[in-house]
Amino acid sequence: MAASTCDVFSFCVGVAGRARVSVEVRFVSSAKGKGLFATQLIRKGETIFVERPLVAAQFLWNALYRYRACDHCLRALEKAEENAQRLTGKPGQVLPHPELCTVRKDLHQNCPHCQVMYCSAECRLAATEQYHQVLCPGPSQDDPLHPLNKLQEAWRSVHYPPETASIMLMARMVATVKQAKDKDRWIRLFSQFCNKTANEEEEIVHKLLGDKFKGQLELLRRLFTEALYEEAVSQWFTPDGFRSLFALVGTNGQGIGTSSLSQWVHACDALELKPQDREQLDIFIDQLYKDIEAATGEFLNCEGSGLFVLQSCCNHSCVPNAETSFPENNFLLHVTALEDIKPGEEICISYLDCCQRERSRHSRHKILRENYLFVCSCPKCLAEADEPNVTSEEEEEEEEEEGEPEDAELGDEMTDV
């Protein structure tokens, strides 16, 4: 959600010359906070902006289960075929068109001290310059008594898959401030993200940690302080400040997904093939996804989260005019127009996935209240205001009682990364 106060200011955004579109951040209302608005006509399919996160981190359980990603940009490190072999549990799994895999293992580098892996020398250097000097455990990488390892183990013991946040995102925030020459600049950047009331913060922490969240939060705060205390942000280590930091990450963290297999599939889709060859390849890919579903379930990607300043200004709509994706197989976030957006029109994304957006208004509101602590008033929700307050689950149960046919197809779409 957007922050509660903000002056009007403009951006002309882009990465390396890609996607130069003028947008403006404005204060919308006390309920919505700030929002992002177009200042020129944006055409359907146009990339509105590409953004690099202030910090990002892979989810801890995801990393523990051998989803190998660059420790800085989260680029998937496995070859597409290796990825398919692990996800299907079939060591002999072979992919056609191996030349379409974009993973460059010859460019991979590790930290010479703790051995964490990066996709390139550029990422290793960027991590070292921003935060890794503070966080590098050196030869104590596998020592369970190292303060950072104790913190990570405590986090894994209270936040299980499916993961939505990571204590290491907070750790990288602190480490960034610790290493920075201009500490105030980074503190100002982090302070731009949304703030909540004390009661709202408790709701977010409860959602992340469960019923015993108060004791767990205090344990995490103590371990966090032992591992990372920094005088410049001493307020983050107090009980109230730590809860606020926790809520900031829980509310503003944008999920990131990367997959070398997904990249290979997209490249296959772009191939110009004879109709018979196309049919055979599509059948192969469909079966591959079914095998993955049977062996691994829904956990297909390298997953983590990041803090994006501009993306955090985008408010939610159940009928969004823009969407986020990670098409470069790393942490660079692309926001793309789903329809023509006129000058002065607000750019809205959806905090719900495609399936959730098709559920009843009551179900959508329930998800948004529980996870983001607001009630949606988008055009779709206003149009459905007279619908009964029944969740989609209750509707489905009624349909099943009436004898709804059981012919649901296996969903084998990969997350669009």
Side-chain angles (χ1 to χ4, degrees):
M1 280 288 290
S4 57
T5 59
C6 182
D7 295 327
V8 174
F9 57 105
S10 297
F11 294 86
C12 190
V13 293
V15 176
R18 296 168 293 166
R20 298 200 65 81
V21 174
S22 183
V23 295
E24 185 175 71
V25 178
R26 301 180 194 164
F27 177 74
V28 179
S29 67
S30 57
K32 292 183 72 173
K34 59 187 175 182
L36 192 66
F37 292 80
T39 57
Q40 66 184 65
L41 176 64
I42 302 172
R43 295 292 186 188
K44 178 180 178 180
E46 188 173 1
T47 300
I48 301 171
F49 63 85
V50 181
E51 186 176 13
R52 183 186 304 271
L54 295 182
V55 287
Q58 187 177 6
F59 293 148
L60 291 178
W61 280 105
N62 190 259
L64 189 67
Y65 281 110
R66 298 187 299 115
Y67 287 76
R68 295 178 54 235
C70 174
D71 198 59
H72 182 64
C73 78
L74 275 68
R75 183 183 299 278
L77 297 177
E78 289 177 306
K79 288 277 191 180
E81 190 167 271
E82 294 174 324
N83 195 197
Q85 290 168 351
R86 179 174 56 80
L87 292 176
T88 60
K90 297 179 179 180
Q93 177 71 63
V94 176
L95 298 185
H97 305 288
E99 72 282 357
L100 297 180
C101 177
T102 58
V103 174
R104 292 283 307 278
K105 287 198 168 187
D106 56 308
L107 298 179
H108 295 178
Q109 292 194 5
N110 57 13
C111 170
H113 307 293
C114 68
Q115 307 308 312
V116 297
M117 190 64 69
Y118 299 98
C119 67
S120 64
E122 290 77 13
C123 273
R124 183 178 63 81
L125 181 61
T128 300
E129 291 182 345
Q130 184 179 337
Y131 55 80
H132 189 65
Q133 292 175 58
V134 168
L135 297 180
C136 180
S140 300
Q141 171 75 356
D142 298 319
D143 180 2
L145 298 180
H146 188 280
L148 281 174
N149 290 336
K150 289 167 65 177
L151 176 65
Q152 292 178 74
E153 181 58 33
W155 174 258
R156 281 192 293 264
S157 72
V158 298
H159 188 67
Y160 294 95
E163 298 170 274
T164 56
S166 172
I167 195 77
M168 293 311 293
L169 195 63
M170 298 163 60
R172 290 189 177 183
M173 292 171 68
V174 174
T176 295
V177 174
K178 270 182 171 289
Q179 283 192 208
K181 293 180 180 177
D182 187 352
K183 298 183 188 300
D184 289 341
R185 171 179 172 269
W186 280 101
I187 293 170
R188 285 195 303 272
L189 285 171
F190 290 133
S191 69
Q192 293 182 60
F193 292 98
C194 120
N195 297 306
K196 297 291 185 182
T197 66
N199 287 339
E200 288 174 329
E201 288 174 352
E202 285 215 350
E203 286 188 52
I204 296 166
V205 175
H206 186 185
K207 179 72 177 175
L208 288 172
L209 299 183
D211 291 336
K212 298 179 181 178
F213 72 94
K214 289 188 177 179
Q216 292 166 339
L217 187 66
E218 178 56 28
L219 171 63
L220 290 170
R221 186 187 72 84
R222 179 174 59 78
L223 294 173
F224 193 75
T225 303
E226 290 174 3
L228 293 162
Y229 183 78
E230 165 58 40
E231 184 63 32
V233 284
S234 58
Q235 72 276 12
W236 288 357
F237 297 88
T238 66
D240 288 347
F242 187 68
R243 184 193 63 215
S244 296
L245 187 64
F246 214 97
L248 182 154
V249 168
T251 307
N252 294 279
Q254 164 68 46
I256 299 170
T258 65
S259 166
S260 54
L261 182 59
S262 178
Q263 294 286 302
W264 175 83
V265 170
H266 288 316
C268 285
D269 290 341
L271 287 175
E272 293 185 5
L273 299 173
K274 295 176 181 178
Q276 184 177 356
D277 294 338
R278 168 56 61 191
E279 182 180 4
Q280 289 179 346
L281 183 57
D282 288 346
I283 291 172
F284 174 85
I285 292 172
D286 287 344
Q287 185 59 50
L288 180 66
Y289 283 165
K290 290 175 182 177
D291 291 344
I292 291 172
E293 174 73 21
T296 311
E298 64 186 65
F299 300 106
L300 303 178
N301 301 329
C302 298
E303 295 181 346
S305 63
L307 294 176
F308 298 83
V309 173
L310 200 53
Q311 175 272 339
S312 73
C313 298
C314 295
N315 284 307
H316 163 84
S317 173
C318 297
V319 279
N321 56 13
E323 66 177 355
T324 61
S325 63
F326 297 90
E328 298 187 49
N329 196 33
N330 62 11
F331 64 13
L332 290 178
L333 178 142
H334 290 232
V335 174
T336 307
L338 294 172
E339 59 189 52
D340 288 354
I341 302 174
K342 299 175 183 177
E345 189 176 348
E346 186 174 6
I347 298 166
C348 291
I349 59 177
S350 180
Y351 301 171
L352 306 175
D353 62 31
C354 295
C355 295
Q356 291 170 333
R357 290 202 297 273
E358 294 306 313
R359 298 176 70 178
S360 70
R361 172 180 176 271
H362 187 66
S363 292
R364 298 195 308 272
H365 279 203
K366 183 173 182 288
I367 296 168
L368 292 168
R369 275 197 306 269
E370 288 180 355
N371 291 280
Y372 301 99
L373 309 182
F374 74 93
V375 176
C376 183
S377 58
C378 74
K380 182 175 182 177
C381 287
L382 292 176
E384 297 174 354
D386 294 332
E387 288 189 356
N389 288 334
V390 180
T391 65
S392 296
E393 289 93 338
E394 291 169 334
E395 292 167 351
E396 288 166 5
E397 287 173 4
E398 289 174 4
E399 289 173 355
E400 287 175 6
E401 289 173 3
E402 294 170 5
E404 192 72 15
E406 297 180 3
D407 59 354
E409 295 181 2
L410 173 67
D412 56 14
E413 285 188 344
M414 293 211 50
T415 302
D416 183 12
V417 297

